[in-house]
Amino acid sequence: MERIEFVFFDAGGGHRAAATALEMSIREQSRPWQVELTNLQELLDQLDILKKYAGIRIQDAYNWMLRTGWTLGSPQLMRVLQGVIRLYHRPTVRMLEGRWKETQPDMVVSFVPHFNRALGESFSHVFPGRPFVTVLTDIADYPPHFWIENQRQYLVCGSDRAIEQARSIGNSEDRIFRASGMILHPRFYEPPVADRIGERTKLNLRPDLPTGILLFGGHGSKVMLDIAQRLDGSSLDLQLIFICGKNKKLAEALRARKWRIPSFVEEFTSRVNDYMQLADFFMGKPGPGSVSEALAMHLPVIVERNAWTLPQERYNAVWVLEKQVGMVLKNFKEIDRAVAQLIEPATLARYRANAAALNNRAVFEIPAILEEIFARTGASTHADAARPLADKLA
């Protein structure tokens, strides 16, 4: 049985979510593989300078930025982070080499940016010829040295733009695979709710009003309060569902507000898909996961793109316009005008049809891609020869 090690971290929520969803899909397809999920941050904690001197992990600092909206200047901060990663490249490689010797995977699959050079280099040192695969959990790369490196690796890309980027730095066609989108949890492919009106009523929402859902990642954002105030202060007839994630303070502030329009506030939930099925459109940051989830539910999106938008998410807003699946604002201060335009019946129907046409099936496609990579490399043969006899007989 081949062993595959999935590498993720918790900067944001999409990396772990993608790894977990793909592992679930592999099990549901009864693939003969043993998949182990590895949190890279935990492996590299002793090299985390920020934790060493400030007592906080890099990934936790990143998540704090998302919660507070302090993302202005994030491109410069990213360059600083990449400089630190380069500085600690050799110790990182040595540590990872020790990991691969211990776990002996037949394939390593990365769901993280920044560290793919170290992951690929260390794995090739320990097990030459075994495949290293990077699955982009962003719609496109943010070069240089974010997702795609100039090294021997396989790449799984969810957009034409990412494919072009992979080719542009010399990756050969046989090492680039196209998925139909971002990895989503299989629950986003469940049958639609049987009684949408009844489910809205359970949340004290009206069955007849256009319904927007607000979601700003797993840690929420205080900008949701600003959007709420603008829409509640407008003359629009609509209602709102707020998904606040792990931001309890935000949820409490929204619940304490006296509303003109019907609303429902939820904190962290694993059933975002259920709430999206009750909505008509989505509002949030242009994160690849939440935008892709909304579009899988055929919800047009309204997102913001400006100097505060994370650099790796800025192309996502361009992609939304290219695919004609929503609207992009310079500032959410324009949200009432945008919503008024979006909920016009003809506009909403057109955007919903465009979203439905995307037909993202990546979570079900990628296991077959991994199987093809195994077949090409003969990785299982190399792995079996390298294992101890006791392990082979186990």
Side-chain angles (χ1 to χ4, degrees):
M1 177 180 290
E2 288 94 346
R3 299 176 180 177
I4 307 178
E5 194 150 349
F6 283 3
V7 180
F8 69 92
F9 53 32
D10 288 320
H15 310 286
R16 179 191 287 267
T20 302
L22 187 57
E23 188 271 338
M24 180 179 296
S25 181
I26 287 170
R27 280 192 284 110
E28 290 179 350
Q29 293 183 19
S30 299
R31 301 278 176 175
W33 305 331
Q34 178 182 332
V35 178
E36 180 173 356
L37 275 66
T38 296
N39 189 330
L40 182 63
Q41 177 71 58
E42 292 178 356
L43 291 181
L44 301 179
D45 264 350
Q46 62 184 283
L47 299 179
D48 191 331
I49 295 175
L50 192 59
K51 182 180 180 183
K52 182 177 180 180
Y53 293 104
I56 183 172
R57 288 173 163 181
I58 290 176
Q59 67 179 27
D60 296 332
Y62 176 85
N63 292 331
W64 176 82
M65 287 171 56
L66 298 182
R67 284 195 303 273
T68 60
W70 283 29
T71 52
L72 186 65
S74 51
Q76 291 75 25
L77 289 173
M78 181 181 290
R79 298 296 176 237
V80 172
L81 173 60
Q82 289 181 330
V84 173
I85 291 171
R86 285 196 298 272
L87 181 65
Y88 281 80
H89 176 72
R90 289 186 179 180
T92 300
V93 169
R94 288 195 297 270
M95 185 176 298
L96 289 170
E97 287 173 351
R99 171 71 179 184
W100 312 140
K101 290 174 184 177
E102 176 186 347
T103 60
Q104 297 206 353
D106 302 317
M107 172 188 288
V108 170
V109 181
S110 167
F111 296 85
V112 302
H114 296 301
F115 290 94
N116 286 298
R117 180 184 164 210
L119 288 165
E121 187 176 313
S122 61
F123 192 48
S124 66
H125 285 174
V126 178
F127 296 117
R130 296 192 194 179
F132 170 63
V133 184
T134 296
V135 179
L136 277 70
T137 64
D138 281 303
I139 294 174
D141 194 12
Y142 181 71
H145 307 301
F146 191 62
W147 280 105
I148 302 172
E149 296 282 359
N150 187 10
Q151 64 180 0
R152 189 174 179 83
Q153 65 180 356
Y154 292 89
L155 297 160
V156 180
C157 305
S159 72
D160 292 338
R161 173 63 175 160
I163 293 284
E164 293 169 4
Q165 291 174 316
R167 289 171 179 156
S168 69
I169 65 168
N171 288 282
S172 58
E173 293 293 332
D174 64 329
R175 293 183 169 274
I176 306 171
F177 293 85
R178 175 69 153 91
S180 56
M182 300 291 97
I183 294 174
L184 303 180
H185 195 284
R187 68 172 64 100
F188 283 90
Y189 302 90
E190 294 174 356
V193 294
D195 183 9
R196 194 164 180 254
I197 290 175
E199 292 301 318
R200 280 188 177 182
T201 303
K202 289 179 183 178
L203 304 183
N204 292 320
L205 299 175
R206 285 174 48 182
D208 58 327
L209 284 182
T211 305
I213 185 167
L214 286 88
L215 173 62
F216 281 73
H219 296 274
S221 171
K222 64 180 183 180
V223 74
M224 293 170 68
L225 281 170
D226 298 331
I227 293 173
Q229 291 168 0
R230 290 187 177 277
L231 292 178
D232 196 44
S234 74
S235 60
L236 292 170
D237 288 327
L238 76 158
Q239 57 195 1
L240 301 173
I241 298 172
F242 299 91
I243 308 296
C244 300
K246 298 176 182 178
N247 197 331
K248 187 175 181 64
K249 184 177 179 181
L250 171 65
E252 291 173 348
L254 288 166
R255 290 189 181 114
R257 179 180 172 83
K258 293 184 178 180
W259 290 92
R260 173 188 69 84
I261 60 178
S263 65
F264 176 80
V265 179
E266 178 65 280
E267 295 181 31
F268 180 81
T269 174
S270 62
R271 302 295 302 184
V272 170
N273 57 308
D274 291 340
Y275 293 109
M276 284 188 170
Q277 289 199 48
L278 306 183
D280 298 301
F281 62 96
F282 166 90
M283 295 169 281
K285 73 185 186 74
S290 53
V291 166
S292 295
E293 290 170 355
L295 296 176
M297 298 289 98
H298 306 167
L299 302 184
V301 303
I302 302 177
V303 297
E304 183 184 60
R305 186 183 189 274
N306 53 37
W308 280 265
T309 305
L310 294 170
Q312 68 270 26
E313 295 183 350
R314 293 177 186 179
Y315 172 75
N316 302 348
V318 175
W319 181 86
V320 164
L321 296 178
E322 290 175 345
K323 298 298 181 183
Q324 298 184 49
V325 291
M327 305 173 68
V328 177
L329 309 181
K330 291 183 178 179
N331 193 296
F332 275 121
K333 293 178 180 179
E334 308 166 2
I335 190 65
D336 49 346
R337 174 191 59 79
V339 170
Q341 182 180 342
L342 182 66
I343 62 177
E344 288 290 329
T347 303
L348 192 62
R350 175 168 57 87
Y351 281 141
R352 285 180 67 88
N354 291 343
L358 293 176
N359 194 28
N360 172 14
R361 306 284 297 177
V363 72
F364 308 114
E365 299 163 348
I366 294 176
I369 292 174
L370 300 183
E371 183 176 17
E372 182 175 345
I373 293 171
F374 268 137
R376 288 186 188 182
T377 59
S380 59
T381 301
H382 296 307
D384 192 61
R387 286 188 191 135
L389 178 61
D391 191 6
K392 295 177 192 178
L393 296 176

